[in-house]
C-alpha cells in the first residue's frame, strides 16, 4: 500500500493549483487557518488578492474540497476587508452560485455566507447584478438557488440597501416557469419583498400576473399585513462604524435615522421620448379656434402625444401658455383635457417642469371654482403632478394666495391640495413657512361652511404632525378646545413622509480674553502695562465716532496744555491759602485720549478737595488723596486709570446707539416688507380681477362671434329662400301668361263660333251636295235657323259656344238618321274629314252609308262614338238623350271658361 503523499512542503498558491484534490483540500484548510489571524496589510493577503486563485477554488470539482475552499474564501474576506472583496468578487460570484448554492447543505450555507459577506464589506448592487442573469439560466436548480439567495439577502439587508425594482420586474417570468420549485422560491421572494414594500410593489409587476396567481399571492400576503414593518438585521461595515459612533447619540436621533431608512424609491425608470414630433404643427391656431370642438380635438391630440412615462426636455413654453389659457375656457370638456395634458407633461418632465410652474399653477387653482366633480378631480390630479415635480416652497405662494380667494370652492380645493402636498413632501417646511401656512389656515377655521373648516383643520393637523409640538403649540394659542381637538384628530390620522429636525447648533466662538481690571487706588501697575495701553487707546480712537447725546467728545491726540504753564486758570479753581502754588505739584495729563470735559472734571476734583496732611491719603480719591508736596511720587497713572473707564463707558454707549439704530432699521425694513407684501396682494387681486374680466370679455366675444355666425347662416338661408321664391314667382307668372293666352285663344274661338255657318269662325271647307248647301250672308256668318230640330240631341254636332243647331238639309233634320239610310250623294258630299282646328262639331260626312259615324279629331271622337252606337243599337231616342247631356256638360264648362276669361281681363 502506497504511503500518503506529504503536501506540507508546498506553498499555499501551489496547493491551490495542485492536481490532487487532497492537496487542494489541504491548501484550503491551511489558508483558512492563516487568514484567521492575518491583517489586511500582511503579505499573504496581498498574495491571495489575485482573483484567479479563488475563481478555481470556489468552483472546485471535488465537493469536499469545494466546501473547504468556500470556508477559506470567507476567512480571506474577513481578513482583507473591502479591498479584497472588490478585487475578487468579479471572479468568484459565478462559481459560488453555480457550484456552491447547488451543492451540499454545508457548502450551500458557506456560499450564502459568501454572498452576504461580499455585500457587507461594500454594497449590494454589484452582487445583485451578478445574480439577476442566473434567473434566466437553463437549469431550474440554479434558478431556484439564486432565488433562495436573493430571499436571504433581502431578509438580511432590506430593500433600502438592495434595489428592489430590478428584482420585482423579474417576478412575472418566474411565476410563468415550468418548474414548481422555481415558482415556489419565487413566491418566497415575493412575500419577503412584500414585507418591506407592501402595496407599493404591486404596480411594478401585478398587472402581468394571471388572476389565479394574484389570488394565491393575496393569500400569502394576508399574514404579512398584520406584522410590523421589518428592520435591517445585518449591517454593512460602514453602518457598523457609524453605529459605534452613534451609540452615544440621543435616542431621538436613532429614531430619526430609522425613519430615514424606511424611505424606498420604487419609481420605475423609463426611456425619455421626444414628443414634439407627435404634437400638431398647428396646435396654437387650433387652440385659438372659436369652436370648442376644434379646441378639444387639438388638446386630445396633444394628450395622445404627451401620454408617455418620460419626456425629453424641450421648449414647452408655448404649449404651457396655451394650456393655461385653456384653463379659462368656457367649455368644461376643454378644461378637463387641458388638465390631463398638464398632468402628463409634469410627470414626464419631472424636475425639469419647475420652470413652467409659475405659468400654469395659478390658473389651475383659480379654475377650482368649477363645481363639476370630474373637472375638479382632473385639476387636482394635475396639481399633484406639478407638486411632485417641484417642491413645497415653489407652490406655497400660489396656494396661499388661492386660500384667500372669495370663491369658497377655490379655497376648499386649494386647502385639500395643500394638505396632500404636506403629506407627500420629503422636506419639512421651515419655521417661517410653517407660520405663514398656519396663519392662513387658521382663518379657514372661522368659515361658515363645514367643508372649509375641516379643510383648514386638516392642513394645520398635518403641519402639526410634521413640525411637532415644539413648533406648533405657539400657533394654536387662542383656539378653543373644540377646534384643537378637531386639529388633533387630523394630526393623529395623518401619514407624513417628512419630520422636522432642529438644525445643529454651531459651537460658540471662542471667548475673547477679558479686559484687564482697573487697578485699585494705591496699587502699582505692572511695568509692561504702560507700554500696552497706548495701542489700545489708539485703536479706540480710530473707530468712527457716532453723534449722540450720551457720547463723549472725540478725544484728541494732542496733549492738553498745562494750566499753570500756559497761564490759564481753569474755571472755578481758586488758590487756597496755605497751599502750594497751583500746578506746582500737579502735572497735566500727557495722554491723548483724555477729553477736555474729563480734564475739567479732574481740575474740579483737585480744586474742591480739602487740604490733606502730608503722609495721609484718602482712599478712593485718586490724585486728590495724594500729598501735593511730593511731585516726584505723584505720577499721572491715576488719570490713566480713569480714562479706560471713560473709554469703556463710551464704547458701550456706541454699541447701544448702534443697537438702537439697527432695531429701528429692522423695524423700518419689516414695515416696508409688510407694505410691499400688501401691495403685492393688492396687485395680485387686481390682476385676478383683470384676468376674470378678460376671460369674461373673451367669453362675450366668443358668444358674439357665434351669434354673428348664426345670423350669417340665417341670412344665407333667407337669400336662398328668396331666390327660390323669385324663381317660383317667375314660373307662376309665365304660367299665368300662358293661361291668359289660352283664355284669349278660347275667347277668339268663342267669338268665331257665334257665326252660324262657321264652327271655327272661318270659311267653311265642307263640300255640301247640290241643293243642300246652307245659306249665309256676305259676312260669312251662319244664318240662324227658322225652327229648332225635333231632337235636341243634334246639338251634339255643334261646336263650342253653339246652341247645337246646324244648317243641314231638312231630310237629315227630320230624323231620317234614326232608321233610314243616308243617300249616297249625301254621304259623298260630306266625305271630307274634320280638320284639327275644328271645334268638334260632327258633320254629316261623319255618318257613313251603313249608319256609322266617325270624327277625325280627338275632341269630337266621343260624340261620334255615341252617335254611332245609337245608330247601331237602334235605340235612337236614348242615344240622342245622352248626347244632349254631354252637350249640357260642355256648355257648363264653356260658361266657366267665360267667367275665367272675364276675370283675367279685369286683372
Amino acid at each position: 500500500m502506497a504511503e500518503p503523499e506529504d503536501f506540507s512542503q508546498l506553498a499555499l498558491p501551489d496547493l491551490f493549483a495542485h492536481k490532487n484534490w487532497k492537496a487542494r483540500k489541504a491548501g484550503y484548510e491551511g489558508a483558512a487557518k492563516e487568514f484567521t489571524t492575518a491583517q489586511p496589510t500582511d503579505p499573504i493577503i496581498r498574495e491571495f488578492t489575485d482573483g484567479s486563485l479563488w475563481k478555481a477554488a470556489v468552483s472546485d470539482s471535488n465537493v469536499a474540497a469545494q466546501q473547504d475552499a468556500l470556508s477559506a474564501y470567507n476567512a480571506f474576506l474577513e481578513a482583507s476587508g473591502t479591498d479584497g472583496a472588490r478585487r475578487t468578487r468579479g471572479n468568484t460570484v459565478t462559481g459560488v452560485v453555480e457550484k456552491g448554492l447547488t451543492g451540499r447543505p454545508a457548502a450551500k450555507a458557506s456560499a450564502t455566507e459568501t454572498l452576504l459577506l461580499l455585500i457587507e464589506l461594500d454594497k449590494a448592487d454589484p452582487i445583485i447584478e451578478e445574480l439577476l442573469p442566473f434567473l434566466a439560466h437553463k437549469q431550474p436548480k440554479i434558478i431556484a438557488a439564486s432565488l433562495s439567495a436573493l430571499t436571504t439577502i433581502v431578509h438580511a439587508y432590506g430593500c433600502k440597501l438592495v434595489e428592489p425594482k430590478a428584482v420585482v420586474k423579474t417576478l412575472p417570468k418566474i411565476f410563468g416557469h415550468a418548474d414548481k420549485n422555481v415558482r415556489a422560491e419565487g413566491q418566497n421572494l415575493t412575500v419577503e419583498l412584500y414585507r418591506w414594500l407592501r402595496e407599493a410593489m404591486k404596480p411594478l409587476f401585478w398587472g402581468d400576473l394571471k388572476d389565479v396567481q394574484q389570488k394565491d399571492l393575496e393569500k400569502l400576503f394576508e399574514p404579512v399585513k398584520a406584522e410590523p414593518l421589518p428592520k435591517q438585521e445585518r449591517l454593512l461595515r460602514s453602518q457598523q462604524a457609524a453605529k459605534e459612533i452613534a451609540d452615544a447619540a440621543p435616542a431621538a436621533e436613532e429614531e430619526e435615522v430609522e425613519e430615514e431608512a424606511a424611505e424606498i424609491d420604487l419609481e420605475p425608470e423609463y426611456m425619455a421620448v421626444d414628443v414634439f414630433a407627435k404634437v400638431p404643427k398647428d396646435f396654437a391656431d387650433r387652440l385659438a379656434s372659436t369652436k370648442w370642438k376644434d379646441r378639444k380635438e387639438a388638446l386630445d391630440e396633444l394628450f395622445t402625444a404627451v401620454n408617455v412615462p418620460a419626456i425629453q426636455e424641450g421648449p414647452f413654453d408655448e404649449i404651457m401658455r396655451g394650456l393655461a389659457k385653456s384653463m379659462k375656457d368656457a367649455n368644461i370638456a376643454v378644461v378637463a383635457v387641458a388638465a390631463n395634458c398638464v398632468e402628463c407633461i409634469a410627470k414626464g418632465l419631472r424636475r425639469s417642469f419647475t420652470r413652467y410652474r409659475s405659468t400654469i399653477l395659478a390658473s389651475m387653482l383659480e379654475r377650482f371654482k368649477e363645481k363639476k366633480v370630474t373637472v375638479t378631480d382632473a385639476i387636482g390630479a394635475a396639481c399633484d403632478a406639478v407638486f411632485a415635480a417641484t417642491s413645497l416652497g415653489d407652490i406655497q405662494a400660489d396656494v396661499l394666495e388661492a386660500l384667500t380667494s372669495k370663491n369658497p370652492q377655490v379655497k376648499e380645493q386649494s386647502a385639500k391640495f395643500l394638505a396632500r402636498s404636506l403629506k407627500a413632501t420629503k422636506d419639512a417646511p421651515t419655521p417661517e413657512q410653517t407660520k405663514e401656512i398656519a396663519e392662513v389656515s387658521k382663518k379657514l377655521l372661522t368659515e361658515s361652511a363645514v367643508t372649509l373648516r375641516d379643510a383648514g383643520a386638516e392642513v394645520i393637523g398635518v403641519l402639526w404632525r410634521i413640525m411637532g409640538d415644539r413648533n406648533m403649540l405657539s400657533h394654536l394659542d387662542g383656539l378653543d378646545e373644540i377646534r384643537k381637538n378637531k386639529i388633533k384628530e387630523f394630526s393623529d390620522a395623518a401619514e407624513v413622509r417628512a419630520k422636522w429636525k432642529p438644525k445643529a447648533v454651531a459651537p460658540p466662538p471662542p471667548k475673547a480674553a477679558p479686559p484687564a481690571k482697573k487697578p485699585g487706588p494705591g496699587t502699582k501697575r505692572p511695568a509692561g502695562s504702560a507700554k500696552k495701553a497706548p495701542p489700545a487707546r489708539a485703536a479706540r480712537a480710530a473707530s468712527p465716532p457716532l453723534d449722540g447725546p450720551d457720547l463723549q467728545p472725540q478725544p484728541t491726540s494732542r496733549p492738553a496744555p498745562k494750566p499753570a504753564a500756559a497761564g490759564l486758570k481753569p474755571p472755578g479753581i481758586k488758590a487756597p491759602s496755605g497751599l502750594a502754588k497751583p500746578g506746582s505739584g500737579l502735572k497735566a495729563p500727557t495722554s491723548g485720549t483724555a477729553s477736555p470735559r474729563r480734564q475739567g472734571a479732574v481740575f474740579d476734583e483737585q480744586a474742591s478737595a480739602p487740604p490733606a496732611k502730608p503722609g495721609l491719603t484718602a482712599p478712593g480719591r485718586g490724585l486728590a488723596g495724594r500729598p501735593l508736596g511730593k511731585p516726584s511720587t505723584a505720577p499721572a497713572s491715576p488719570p490713566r486709570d480713569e480714562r479706560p473707564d471713560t473709554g469703556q463707558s463710551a464704547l458701550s454707549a456706541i454699541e447701544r446707539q448702534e443697537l438702537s439704530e439697527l432695531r429701528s432699521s429692522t423695524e423700518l425694513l419689516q414695515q416696508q416688507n409688510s407694505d410691499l407684501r400688501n401691495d403685492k396682494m393688492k396687485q395680485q387681486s387686481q390682476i385676478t380681477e383683470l384676468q376674470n374680466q378678460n376671460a369674461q370679455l373673451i367669453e362675450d366675444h366668443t358668444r358674439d362671434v357665434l351669434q354673428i355666425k348664426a345670423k350669417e347662416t340665417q341670412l344665407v338661408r333667407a337669400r336662398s329662400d328668396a331666390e327660390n321664391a323669385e324663381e317660383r314667382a317667375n314660373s307662376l307668372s309665365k304660367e299665368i301668361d300662358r293661361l291668359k293666352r289660352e283664355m284669349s285663344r278660347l275667347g277668339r274661338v268663342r267669338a268665331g263660333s257665334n257665326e252660324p255657318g262657321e264652327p271655327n269662325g272661318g270659311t267653311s271647307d265642307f263640300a255640301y251636295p247640290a241643293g243642300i248647301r246652307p245659306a249665309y250672308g256676305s259676312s260669312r256668318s251662319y244664318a240662324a235657323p227658322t225652327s229648332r230640330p225635333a231632337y235636341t240631341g243634334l246639338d251634339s254636332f255643334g261646336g263650342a259656344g253653339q246652341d247645337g243647331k246646324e244648317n243641314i238639309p231638312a231630310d237629315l233634320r227630320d230624323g231620317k238618321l234614326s232608321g233610314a239610310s243616308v243617300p249616297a250623294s249625301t254621304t259623298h258630299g260630306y266625305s271630307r274629314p274634320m280638320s284639327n282646328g275644328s271645334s268638334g262639331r260632327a258633320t254629316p260626312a261623319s255618318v257613313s252609308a251603313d249608319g256609322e259615324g266617325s270624327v277625325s279629331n280627338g275632341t269630337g271622337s266621343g260624340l261620334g262614338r255615341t252617335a254611332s252606337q245609337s245608330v247601331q243599337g237602334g235605340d235612337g231616342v236614348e242615344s240622342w238623350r245622352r248626347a244632349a247631356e254631354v252637350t249640357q256638360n260642355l256648355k257648363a264648362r264653356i260658361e266657366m271658361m267665360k267667367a275665367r276669361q272675364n276675370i283675367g281681363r279685369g286683372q
Side-chain angles (χ1 to χ4, degrees), residues 439 442 472-480 484:
E439 291 298 328
K442 284 167 63 176
M472 287 300 297
L473 290 180
S474 60
H475 299 299
L476 300 179
D477 293 341
L479 299 178
D480 53 17
K484 287 184 180 179

Side-chain angles (χ1 to χ4, degrees), residues 185-480:
E185 291 295 339
Q187 287 183 350
N188 296 335
L189 177 59
T190 306
V191 173
E192 184 61 35
L193 290 170
Y194 187 80
R195 291 179 62 242
W196 293 88
L197 305 177
R198 299 300 168 98
E199 298 295 327
M201 66 179 289
K202 286 187 177 181
L204 297 177
F205 79 107
W206 199 253
D208 298 332
L209 300 180
K210 299 179 181 179
D211 295 338
V212 178
Q213 296 171 346
Q214 293 179 0
K215 292 179 181 178
D216 294 341
L217 289 177
E218 287 291 351
K219 293 179 182 179
L220 297 175
F221 292 161
E222 286 298 329
V224 180
K225 293 179 180 179
E227 298 178 1
L229 290 176
K231 296 182 180 181
Q232 184 178 346
E233 296 181 357
R234 188 161 179 166
L235 302 177
L236 303 180
R237 291 292 172 89
S238 57
Q239 291 178 331
Q240 294 174 10
K243 184 178 181 182
E244 292 177 359
I245 298 175
D247 284 340
E253 295 184 2
E254 294 179 1
E255 293 178 359
E256 292 174 359
V257 172
E258 292 177 1
E259 290 179 359
E260 289 179 358
E263 293 292 338
I264 301 173
D265 182 19
L266 287 178
E267 186 176 356
E269 298 177 357
Y270 299 99
M271 184 68 66
V273 179
D274 185 9
V275 300
F276 281 96
K278 300 180 182 179
V279 176
K281 301 298 182 183
D282 56 346
F283 174 74
D285 297 336
R286 295 171 60 185
L287 200 61
S289 175
T290 57
K291 297 181 180 180
W292 71 269
K293 289 186 178 180
D294 295 342
R295 300 194 298 271
K296 185 177 182 298
E297 289 177 359
L299 291 173
D300 288 335
E301 294 181 13
L302 176 64
F303 176 75
T304 304
V306 301
N307 190 16
V308 292
I311 300 175
Q312 288 185 2
E313 297 184 15
F316 286 89
D317 301 85
E318 184 178 356
I319 294 177
M320 296 310 300
R321 285 194 293 268
L323 293 176
K325 183 179 179 181
S326 298
M327 284 296 160
K328 302 176 183 179
D329 201 288
N331 189 279
I332 59 176
V334 175
V335 177
V337 179
N340 295 334
C341 293
V342 173
E343 180 183 2
C344 292
I345 295 175
K347 290 181 178 179
L349 291 177
R350 299 183 184 178
R351 290 297 176 186
S352 301
F353 187 81
T354 305
R355 64 177 187 174
Y356 307 116
R357 185 264 317 161
S358 59
T359 305
I360 191 65
L361 183 58
S363 301
M364 291 194 299
L365 294 176
E366 181 184 354
R367 191 62 185 187
F368 270 136
K369 64 184 179 181
E370 185 63 44
K371 295 183 179 180
K372 192 75 173 178
V373 179
T374 55
V375 179
T376 55
D377 291 345
I379 297 175
C383 290
D384 293 340
V386 170
F387 168 74
T390 56
S391 63
L392 183 63
D394 294 334
I395 69 167
Q396 181 179 352
D398 294 329
V399 175
L400 293 182
E401 182 180 353
L403 291 178
T404 59
S405 175
K406 296 180 180 179
N407 193 311
Q409 188 79 4
V410 174
K411 289 192 287 188
E412 178 185 354
Q413 295 296 333
S414 300
K416 291 181 179 180
F417 167 56
L418 180 58
R420 294 194 302 269
S421 302
L422 289 172
K423 293 177 182 178
T425 183
K426 296 181 181 179
D427 300 326
T430 61
E432 293 78 9
Q433 293 176 337
T434 303
K435 180 179 180 181
E436 293 181 3
I437 296 173
E439 291 298 328
V440 177
S441 301
K442 284 167 63 176
K443 296 179 181 179
L444 298 178
L445 299 177
T446 59
E447 295 286 343
S448 59
V450 179
T451 55
L452 285 177
R453 296 198 299 271
D454 292 344
E458 184 179 5
V459 172
I460 300 176
V462 176
L463 202 59
W464 193 355
R465 185 62 180 267
I466 295 174
M467 304 302 294
D469 298 342
R470 180 177 180 181
N471 296 304
M472 287 300 297
L473 290 180
S474 60
H475 299 299
L476 300 179
D477 293 341
L479 299 178
D480 53 17

Side-chain angles (χ1 to χ4, degrees), residues 8 87 221 311 353 395 443 469 480 578 618 734 780 785 834 841 845-846 903:
S8 60
R87 289 176 177 269
F221 292 161
I311 300 175
F353 187 81
I395 69 167
K443 296 179 181 179
D469 298 342
D480 53 17
K734 292 179 180 180
R780 304 184 66 86
M834 185 183 295
R841 179 183 292 116
S846 62
I903 292 173

Side-chain angles (χ1 to χ4, degrees), residues 821-880:
S821 58
V822 181
S825 60
T826 306
T827 305
H828 245 331
Y830 292 91
S831 61
R832 183 176 180 178
M834 185 183 295
S835 65
N836 292 333
S838 64
S839 61
R841 179 183 292 116
T843 61
S846 62
V847 184
S848 60
D850 56 359
E852 295 179 359
S854 62
V855 180
S856 62
N857 66 345
T859 308
S861 62
L863 299 179
R865 284 196 300 271
T866 304
S868 62
Q869 290 174 2
S870 300
V871 173
Q872 289 176 2
D875 190 3
V877 177
E878 184 65 27
S879 298
W880 287 110

Side-chain angles (χ1 to χ4, degrees), residues 774-823:
Y776 50 87
S778 60
S779 62
R780 304 184 66 86
S781 60
Y782 290 99
T786 57
S787 61
R788 293 182 62 87
Y791 298 99
T792 57
L794 292 176
D795 293 338
S796 61
F797 294 97
Q802 298 291 328
D803 295 331
K805 301 176 183 180
E806 188 69 41
N807 294 326
I808 59 176
D811 55 352
L812 294 177
R813 276 201 318 268
D814 291 339
K816 291 183 178 181
L817 290 173
S818 60
S821 58
V822 181

Side-chain angles (χ1 to χ4, degrees), residues 588-738:
T590 59
S591 174
T593 59
S595 62
R597 185 180 299 178
R598 182 61 189 167
Q599 291 174 2
V602 173
F603 292 152
D604 292 340
E605 290 178 0
Q606 293 175 355
S608 60
K613 295 180 181 181
L616 297 177
T617 59
R621 297 292 295 171
L623 290 174
R626 295 193 180 194
L628 300 177
K630 295 180 180 181
S632 59
T633 60
S637 59
R640 292 175 187 171
D641 294 340
E642 293 291 337
R643 283 191 296 272
D645 185 24
T646 305
Q648 185 70 22
S649 62
L651 184 61
S652 62
I654 293 173
E655 291 178 352
R656 287 196 300 271
Q657 181 70 14
E658 291 179 353
L659 182 59
S660 62
E661 290 181 356
L662 289 176
R663 286 177 179 175
S664 61
S665 300
T666 303
E667 292 177 357
L668 179 61
L669 290 176
Q670 290 178 351
Q671 184 65 26
Q672 292 177 353
N673 191 14
S674 177
D675 295 340
L676 291 175
R677 189 181 294 109
N678 294 333
D679 294 340
K680 181 182 177 182
M681 295 292 291
K682 292 179 181 178
Q683 292 176 0
Q684 290 290 347
S685 61
Q686 292 177 359
I687 291 173
T688 303
E689 292 178 359
L690 293 176
Q691 288 176 349
N692 294 335
Q693 294 177 3
N694 188 21
Q696 186 64 33
L697 291 175
I698 292 174
E699 293 178 2
D700 295 342
H701 175 68
T702 304
R703 190 181 303 108
D704 295 340
V705 170
L706 294 177
Q707 290 178 357
I708 292 172
K709 293 291 185 182
K711 296 295 184 183
E712 290 179 353
T713 304
Q714 294 177 1
L715 182 59
V716 170
R717 291 179 180 176
R719 288 176 179 174
S720 178
D721 294 342
E723 291 176 358
N724 294 336
E726 187 176 358
E727 291 179 0
R728 183 170 178 79
N730 293 334
S731 63
L732 291 177
S733 177
K734 292 179 180 180
E735 183 67 18
I736 290 172
D737 293 340
R738 188 185 64 80

